[in-house]
Amino acid sequence: MTNERRMSVLRAVIEDYIRTHEPVGSAALTRGHDLGVSSATVRNDMAALEDEGYLIQPHTSAGRIPTEKGYRYFVDKLATVVPLSKAQKRGIRSFLSGSVNLDDTLRRSARLLAQITGQVAVVASPSLARSALRHLEMVPVSSATILVVVITDTGRVEQRTIIAAERPGDDTLSRISAKINTACTGRSLRRAGNDIRMFAGDESSPINRSLLEALARVCDELATQEQSSNLYMAGTSQLTHRQVVDMNVIAPLFDALEEQAVIMRLMTALSEVTQSHGVGIAIGSETHTPGLMNASVVTSGYGQSTADDDGGSGQPSGTAEPVAFIGSIGPTHMDYATTISAVRAVAKYLTEFMANEENSPDDDSTD
């Protein structure tokens, strides 16, 4: 589309439809927007936009509504994103600072995002595959059982037990733990497992070698957990209590939300592809999910993995990646500017919370 005036008409139609959820006519556009042309000219532009697939006319002699193609053009050309208010920023900080642990933080983040957008919010807990080892501890439980506690840089705490034919002494356990923590802190769990397996070759004692090999298997197991099973969701009640509810849209959306594995794959992939304004956006058929054909998804990665992982190449990647995603799901006529702003802001504060920042900077350029 090269006609600037026509682009302005399309933007005005979408803005009005997002606000009213009613088909938009040329007369209303002329009254409500400074388009600089007559109602007849606007009507001609709307007809051209319909021919080009950006608008449709749901009923004869009714106004027009945007198509998926229209929404995509609107989102891609969205010039500004509404900044969150100071009260909303304080609300984010308050919600996160009042958390007792990581799971509570993620649950609170989902509730907060749902309140801001009036849509369904989804937050995934960090992926162990993208986490770095922060600390490993071995705790003797019995003469043959050792509890292995693995703490990651994302705050996840995993516990596994090792059954040993003969348990090493406490001094040996302390020495091995210290060696692993010194050499492997900051490395991905996969690489930590490989390093621990190499340490086993340096041990002369069969008992110690067996222990190190068991520890390597623990790291391998954790590293293969590509996605966390924890998915925090909030906002279904907000969506159903909106003034205008189209059950033809909402019912399939709720069915899709029941398929958490599908939602997990969709939003993980989307959060890894940054589009407009630093978020990933899928509209209708772009979700490739039957229940979301009349819905849009806005998502962002959060957290930054510091894992030193060579990806199998032998050289550390040195690239920080998000550890999980946060996103909003709603009808295609959602308020994209506000939703983008909210998703981005909550992801930012969540990232800073996980990095143990005491105060989040008030920077409107990223909110």
Side-chain angles (χ1 to χ4, degrees):
M1 184 190 299
T2 59
N3 189 306
E4 290 298 323
R5 188 188 67 227
R6 204 173 290 168
M7 180 187 73
S8 298
V9 170
L10 174 62
R11 182 169 58 248
V13 171
I14 295 177
E15 289 173 351
D16 283 5
Y17 186 67
I18 286 173
R19 186 180 69 254
T20 67
H21 305 161
E22 296 288 342
V24 181
S26 58
L29 283 184
T30 305
R31 289 194 304 269
H33 299 267
D34 184 16
L35 298 173
V37 293
S38 67
S39 177
T41 300
V42 171
R43 188 160 52 250
N44 290 336
D45 283 341
M46 293 176 72
L49 288 165
E50 184 176 1
D51 291 340
E52 293 169 0
Y54 293 96
L55 299 176
I56 58 172
Q57 190 172 28
H59 307 290
T60 304
S61 60
R64 290 169 172 85
I65 65 175
T67 64
E68 183 179 303
K69 181 179 179 181
Y71 284 122
R72 170 49 64 187
Y73 186 85
F74 174 78
V75 168
D76 289 344
K77 298 297 182 180
L78 194 60
T80 59
V81 172
V82 180
L84 295 185
S85 67
K86 290 184 178 180
Q88 288 171 324
K89 292 178 183 178
R90 286 195 298 269
I92 294 174
R93 185 179 292 110
S94 176
F95 261 65
L96 297 188
S97 63
S99 305
V100 296
N101 54 37
L102 178 60
D103 287 344
D104 188 34
T105 300
L106 302 181
R107 191 175 293 108
R108 286 167 178 255
S109 297
R111 290 206 312 267
L112 180 61
L113 181 59
Q115 289 172 6
I116 295 173
T117 63
Q119 298 161 174
V120 175
V122 181
V123 183
S125 57
S127 164
L128 285 170
R130 297 186 182 181
S131 300
L133 178 68
R134 177 181 292 173
H135 187 76
L136 183 147
E137 191 72 31
M138 289 186 286
V139 181
V141 176
S142 68
S143 59
T145 305
I146 300 171
L147 177 66
V148 181
V149 181
V150 176
I151 304 174
T152 73
D153 62 336
T154 59
R156 288 282 295 274
V157 178
E158 295 289 330
Q159 298 181 357
R160 299 292 188 273
T161 55
I162 293 175
I163 306 299
E166 183 177 347
R167 180 173 67 80
D170 291 350
D171 289 345
T172 300
L173 291 179
S174 297
R175 176 182 64 80
I176 291 176
S177 295
K179 181 177 182 179
I180 292 172
N181 288 323
T182 298
C184 300
T185 294
R187 294 188 173 179
S188 70
L189 293 173
R190 181 173 64 83
R191 190 173 184 193
N194 291 338
D195 289 346
I196 293 170
R197 196 168 282 107
M198 290 177 61
F199 297 158
D202 298 332
E203 292 287 342
S204 58
S205 165
I207 296 174
N208 294 351
R209 285 200 302 271
S210 176
L211 173 64
L212 283 162
E213 288 166 357
L215 289 173
R217 288 193 296 272
V218 168
C219 290
D220 292 344
E221 176 199 340
L222 295 176
T224 57
Q225 295 183 19
E226 290 295 334
Q227 300 297 339
S228 164
S229 59
N230 293 332
L231 199 63
Y232 301 96
M233 196 173 298
T236 53
S237 61
Q238 281 97 323
L239 200 57
T240 56
H241 288 111
R242 296 177 72 166
Q243 290 183 344
V244 179
V245 178
D246 185 349
M247 291 310 299
N248 292 326
V249 174
I250 300 301
L253 191 157
F254 285 170
D255 289 341
L257 293 176
E258 293 293 325
E259 301 294 333
Q260 292 198 2
V262 175
I263 297 298
M264 180 77 78
R265 286 195 297 271
L266 166 64
M267 300 189 80
T268 297
L270 199 57
S271 67
E272 294 172 349
V273 182
T274 300
Q275 299 174 15
S276 301
H277 303 285
V279 297
I281 302 171
I283 302 171
S285 64
E286 295 173 356
T287 66
H288 304 291
T289 304
L292 301 180
M293 288 298 103
N294 293 305
S296 290
V297 179
V298 178
T299 188
S300 172
Y302 74 82
Q304 290 187 347
S305 172
T306 58
D308 180 6
D309 190 356
D310 60 15
S313 66
Q315 296 295 327
S317 66
T319 302
E321 294 182 322
V323 296
F325 65 78
I326 179 169
S328 183
I329 304 175
T332 52
H333 58 257
M334 69 166 59
D335 185 339
Y336 288 94
T338 298
T339 302
I340 291 169
S341 176
V343 168
R344 202 172 58 178
V346 178
K348 170 190 163 188
Y349 280 90
L350 192 51
T351 296
E352 291 171 351
F353 173 87
M354 294 184 65
N356 295 319
E357 293 286 345
E358 293 183 0
N359 297 298
S360 300
D362 259 339
D363 181 2
D364 288 349
S365 66
T366 57
D367 281 340

